[in-house]
Amino acid sequence: MESSKPASAIGRPRAFDADRALDRAVRVFWEKGYEGASMADLTEAMGINRPSLYAAFGNKESLFRKALIRYCEGPASYVTLALEAPTAREAAEKLLAGAVNVLSDPENPCGCLSIQSALVCGDEATPVKQELVTVRCDTLRSIEDRFAKAKEEGEFSADVDTKRLARYLSTVIQGLAVQAASRATGCELKGVAEQAMMAWPG
């Protein structure tokens, strides 16, 4: 027996590409930061109206969290790949090179989404600010774990503090993002990365 329910009411597909819309939201947050990105900015860039945005992604905070995941799995995925390098030194070189490549790509907004979005956050955006702190701390912990493993395998001498080394590298990478936001060139960023590796133990 055929259903009497109109076809238009059954599983009507969205009239937009959700993945493409999310990519555009990533770019808006990347350019303007969390608080700087207005709902008008987001809906215009994503090509959808507010009801469609809320239906597909939730509120602004929910959209940002989805955009942050997208960013980490996309432009910032170099972090995961770098930490798979066979030695800690190669991992550090790849982390710095990956950061420079993303930050100097003229197709990308200036700076880093996780840094840009955290620079100015009022009280209402405290959960977002904390989320960004968590992301940065997770990245630092991953670098610490990789370097600790390298020390266990004999890559570092006993006197090397791998946690301090990991924090140093993380600080340089975050500094590169700030420099990129201040319009440092790719060549200048690469020079900083090379200088940082001169401090490598041994």
Side-chain angles (χ1 to χ4, degrees):
M1 180 176 177
E2 293 185 3
S3 171
S4 60
K5 182 178 267 191
S8 61
I10 304 175
R12 177 180 292 171
R14 291 196 181 110
F16 66 93
D17 184 326
D19 287 336
R20 181 176 296 179
L22 184 56
D23 285 337
R24 290 174 177 173
V26 169
R27 189 171 187 90
V28 173
F29 286 125
W30 195 345
E31 289 176 341
K32 297 176 178 289
Y34 176 74
E35 291 203 326
S38 69
M39 291 302 290
D41 292 330
L42 291 163
T43 53
E44 181 179 356
M46 296 166 76
I48 57 178
N49 57 30
R50 286 198 184 202
S52 294
L53 187 155
Y54 290 132
F57 303 105
N59 60 16
K60 181 181 176 182
E61 182 179 327
S62 176
L63 172 61
F64 178 78
R65 291 177 187 277
K66 290 178 174 66
L68 183 59
I69 291 171
R70 188 82 161 188
Y71 175 80
C72 290
E73 293 176 346
S77 61
Y78 71 86
V79 174
T80 301
L81 295 174
L83 294 177
E84 294 173 355
T87 67
R89 183 184 179 93
E90 289 177 78
E93 290 172 339
K94 288 181 181 294
L95 281 168
L96 290 166
V100 170
N101 287 339
V102 171
L103 295 169
S104 62
D105 187 337
E107 295 299 314
N108 292 333
C110 292
C112 165
L113 185 149
S114 66
I115 301 295
Q116 298 285 92
S117 296
L119 290 178
V120 180
C121 276
D123 292 341
E124 290 184 5
T126 296
V128 167
K129 187 174 184 177
Q130 186 55 52
E131 178 76 12
L132 294 167
V133 169
T134 298
V135 168
R136 292 195 298 274
C137 287
D138 286 347
T139 298
L140 173 59
R141 214 159 13 245
S142 294
I143 300 173
E144 287 176 347
D145 290 346
R146 178 65 188 87
F147 289 0
K149 180 174 179 289
K151 187 170 183 176
E152 289 174 1
E153 295 172 346
E155 190 176 335
F156 296 113
S157 60
D159 63 328
V160 173
D161 185 334
T162 55
K163 281 195 172 185
R164 186 169 66 180
L165 181 62
R167 188 172 291 276
Y168 165 74
L169 186 65
S170 180
T171 300
V172 171
I173 291 171
Q174 291 171 16
L176 287 171
V178 174
Q179 287 292 309
S182 300
R183 306 294 180 179
T185 67
C187 184
E188 289 168 336
L189 297 178
K190 185 178 179 182
V192 172
E194 291 173 349
Q195 186 70 39
M197 286 306 299
M198 291 181 185
W200 191 258

